[in-house]
Amino acid sequence: MSAHQYDHGHTVAGWVGTGIASVGAVAAGAGVCFVSGVLIAGGLAIGVVALLVTWALHLAGWGKGPGIRPRGEWGWRVRDSGARAGHDECLGCRLAGRRRTAQVAGPLVVPGDVSVGGESEPAAVGADSGR
């Protein structure tokens, strides 16, 4: 039995990114304490590196998209099976150009349109609201 009964979202990308970002935060904090612009800039640069490394690991399948993963992928050392195609509603995947296209099942229905005699006419509801 697992130590937890639900997915905490722990991933290799998350752990590595958090570790690198923690080093950057310590460096930037030391820069504030010692009034050193070099340490502050170095800490911020390490933070940017943490962001890029986390993003690269996510795209390589070591991260997790938004939402719930299947139970078989709960372990933090398990690669994500859906990373190659991109994740729905994932900013990192969209920035990398991995967008899933939504499939429309039928004709687009616009609320407020009424079909009269086979032709679409705007609904009269709210027609007087412009006065």
Side-chain angles (χ1 to χ4, degrees):
M1 179 180 261
S2 176
H4 51 79
Q5 296 301 314
Y6 51 91
D7 180 21
H8 285 287
H10 300 297
T11 63
V12 172
W15 283 107
V16 170
T18 300
I20 296 171
S22 297
V23 171
V26 167
V32 170
C33 291
F34 295 126
V35 190
S36 171
V38 173
L39 276 176
I40 293 172
L44 294 175
I46 292 172
V48 171
V49 168
L51 177 72
L52 294 174
V53 167
T54 304
W55 185 33
L57 286 171
H58 171 78
L59 293 176
W62 291 109
K64 167 188 179 310
I68 299 172
R69 291 185 291 185
R71 189 171 180 93
E73 295 181 5
W74 280 9
W76 72 278
R77 287 178 249 153
V78 177
R79 289 186 82 162
D80 184 11
S81 60
R84 297 289 262 173
H87 300 107
D88 293 330
E89 301 177 15
C90 178
L91 177 63
C93 290
R94 283 186 300 204
L95 289 174
R98 295 181 182 180
R99 295 183 180 172
R100 288 189 181 172
T101 57
Q103 300 294 325
V104 178
L108 180 62
V109 177
V110 178
D113 282 358
V114 177
S115 179
V116 178
E119 295 181 16
S120 180
E121 304 238 349
V125 178
D128 293 342
S129 64
R131 293 184 190 174

